[in-house]
C-alpha cells in the first residue's frame, strides 16, 4: 500500500475503530477519497460519504455500471453518469486473455465463443439439476485443481440464488460432503469448512472455520484480515464454497465456476452474467443448464432501477448556474 493511502469500506471509513480522522468541523480529514467498485455504492452510503467530505476535497468514483448494483437502494454511479453533471473518464484498456474477451462481449450484450487454447474458458452442459451439481463438484475438487494447480482458496462457485436444486445451500452441502465431511457439530459447521457471512449491508466476509468457542457459542474463523468470532446462530452465516454473484461483487478469484441453473428465471440477466464471469482472473468454467436462455439474457437490454437521483442532480446543477 502506498504511503499515506489506506483502504477501508465506506462503513469502516465513517465509524468504528478504523474510522478516518475528523477535522475540527467534524469532516473527514482528507483531501482525496477514491471509491472503488462504486457500482456497489447505495444511496444511503453515498449520502453519508458526501456529507462527511470537507470543502475543497475531491471524491472519485470508479466502477462499472453494467455490473450488479448495490444491496441497498439506488444506483448512484449509474445516476451520476446519466446526469452528466460531473467529469467522467472512460477506460479504453482492453480486458486481458480469453476470460477478459468474453467479459467484454457480455458487457456489450453478446455471448460468443472465444478462443481459449489453454482452456481458460470452458462450457460444461448440464441437462438437469442433478448433473449440474455433479459437474460443479467435479470442477471444483478435481478438474480445475488438476489443470491449473489451484488450491481450494483459489476457486469459488457462483450461482443465482440461495434456494433451489442449484442454489448455494444445495451446492454447498454437496461440496462439503466431498471435501470436508463431518457431523456439523458447531452449529452445522466443522473445522475446515469455508464460511461466509454478511458483516453489514453489501459487505460479505469469507473465512475458514478453525474452532468453536463453547463459552460464547461462537465460531472462530480465519479470514484475510485475521481471526474473527461469529455467533454460531448468526442467520447470515452460511457455508462459503458457493456464493451468489451478489455476494461475490467487488472481489475476484483465480478460478470461478459459474452455475447457470435452468430455473434461474428473472434472476438471470446481463448484469448477473457480467458480474459472475468477471470475478475470474485466470479461468472460468460455466455449468450451462439454461440453454438458449443464457444468450437471451445477455442480449436483453439491462433493467435499470427506477430512481429520481439523475433528475434531481440535473435540476440542482441547473439551479446553481442560475443563482
Amino acid at each position: 500500500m502506498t504511503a499515506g493511502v489506506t483502504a477501508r469500506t465506506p462503513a469502516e471509513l465513517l465509524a468504528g475503530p478504523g474510522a478516518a480522522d475528523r477535522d475540527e468541523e467534524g469532516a473527514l480529514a482528507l483531501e482525496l477519497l477514491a471509491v472503488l467498485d462504486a457500482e456497489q455504492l447505495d444511496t444511503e452510503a453515498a449520502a453519508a460519504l458526501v456529507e462527511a467530505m470537507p470543502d475543497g476535497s475531491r471524491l472519485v468514483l470508479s466502477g462499472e455500471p453494467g455490473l450488479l448494483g448495490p444491496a441497498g437502494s439506488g444506483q448512484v454511479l449509474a445516476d451520476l453518469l446519466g446526469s452528466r453533471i460531473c467529469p467522467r473518464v472512460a477506460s479504453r484498456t482492453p480486458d486481458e486473455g480469453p476470460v477478459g474477451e468474453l467479459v467484454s462481449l457480455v458487457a456489450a450484450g453478446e455471448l460468443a465463443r472465444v478462443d481459449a487454447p489453454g482452456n481458460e474458458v470452458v462450457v460444461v452442459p448440464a441437462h438437469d439439476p442433478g448433473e449440474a451439481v455433479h459437474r460443479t463438484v467435479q470442477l471444483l475438487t478435481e478438474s480445475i485443481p488438476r489443470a491449473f494447480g489451484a488450491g481450494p482458496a483459489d476457486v469459488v462457485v457462483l450461482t443465482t440464488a440461495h434456494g433451489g436444486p442449484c442454489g448455494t445451500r444445495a451446492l454447498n452441502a454437496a461440496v462439503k460432503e466431498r471435501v470436508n465431511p463431518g457431523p456439523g457439530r458447531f452449529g452445522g459447521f466443522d473445522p475446515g469448512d469455508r464460511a461466509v457471512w454478511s458483516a453489514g449491508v453489501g459487505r460479505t466476509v469469507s473465512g475458514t472455520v478453525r474452532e468453536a468457542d463453547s463459552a460464547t457459542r461462537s465460531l472462530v474463523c480465519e479470514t484475510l484480515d485475521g481471526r474473527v468470532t461469529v455467533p454460531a446462530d448468526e442467520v447470515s452465516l452460511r457455508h462459503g464454497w458457493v456464493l451468489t454473484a451478489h455476494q461475490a461483487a467487488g472481489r475476484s478469484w483465480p478460478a470461478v465456476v459459474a452455475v447457470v441453473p435452468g430455473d434461474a428465471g428473472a434472476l438471470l440477466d446481463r448484469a448477473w452474467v457480467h458480474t459472475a464471469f468477471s470475478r475470474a482472473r485466470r479461468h472460468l468454467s460455466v455449468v450451462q443448464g439454461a440453454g438458449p436462455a443464457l444468450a437471451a439474457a445477455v442480449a436483453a437490454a439491462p433493467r435499470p432501477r427506477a430512481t429520481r437521483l439523475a433528475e434531481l442532480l440535473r435540476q440542482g446543477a441547473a439551479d446553481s448556474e442560475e443563482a
Side-chain angles (χ1 to χ4, degrees), residues 30-314:
L30 47 78
E31 298 178 359
L32 172 67
L33 175 62
V35 180
L36 306 183
D37 301 307
E39 70 280 349
Q40 291 293 304
L41 195 62
D42 64 29
T43 304
E44 184 177 355
L49 286 176
V50 171
E51 290 175 354
M53 295 292 291
D55 292 342
S57 61
R58 299 285 183 175
L59 175 63
V60 178
L61 304 182
S62 173
E64 295 186 56
L67 297 175
L68 287 171
S73 62
Q75 51 175 15
V76 173
L77 179 63
D79 284 342
L80 275 171
L81 293 173
S83 70
R84 298 184 176 276
I85 65 165
C86 54
R88 52 188 285 175
V89 177
S91 171
R92 302 298 182 186
T93 304
D95 295 305
E96 296 182 357
V99 174
E101 181 182 355
L102 177 60
V103 169
S104 294
L105 289 169
V106 168
E110 182 180 358
L111 187 66
R113 186 183 298 273
V114 297
D115 184 23
N119 288 326
E120 294 89 349
V121 177
V122 175
V123 179
V124 180
H127 299 94
D128 57 63
E131 184 178 9
V133 172
H134 172 75
R135 295 297 186 193
T136 298
V137 175
Q138 187 178 52
L139 286 164
L140 178 67
T141 61
E142 297 178 18
S143 303
I144 293 177
R146 181 173 61 245
F148 296 95
D154 297 329
V155 189
V156 71
V157 177
L158 302 179
T159 189
T160 54
H162 293 300
C166 292
T168 62
R169 287 191 286 268
L171 286 168
N172 271 315
V175 173
K176 176 172 171 55
E177 184 179 354
R178 180 67 175 274
V179 305
N180 196 42
R185 62 184 184 274
F186 301 155
F189 295 84
D190 294 293
D193 282 357
R194 281 169 66 172
V196 61
W197 66 95
S198 297
V201 176
R203 180 169 177 245
T204 300
V205 177
S206 296
T208 302
V209 176
R210 293 304 181 198
E211 59 190 20
D213 185 334
S214 58
T216 61
R217 296 182 58 80
S218 299
L219 299 179
V220 179
C221 298
E222 193 78 36
T223 73
L224 291 176
D225 298 323
R227 291 202 166 196
V228 298
T229 301
V230 185
D233 58 356
E234 168 60 55
V235 295
S236 66
L237 181 66
R238 304 174 184 269
H239 284 99
W241 293 282
V242 186
L243 310 175
T244 65
H246 288 82
Q247 289 177 311
R251 305 161 62 194
S252 65
W253 290 262
V256 167
V257 180
V259 181
V260 187
D263 63 352
L267 294 175
L268 184 61
D269 60 12
R270 187 190 303 176
W272 186 92
V273 178
H274 188 184
T275 302
F277 287 12
S278 61
R279 302 309 94 194
R281 297 197 296 268
R282 293 174 46 207
H283 172 79
L284 172 67
S285 284
V286 182
V287 178
Q288 214 316 26
L294 176 57
V298 170
R303 300 189 297 268
R305 299 185 182 191
T307 75
R308 295 184 58 225
L309 180 58
E311 176 187 346
L312 293 172
L313 289 170
R314 285 192 293 266

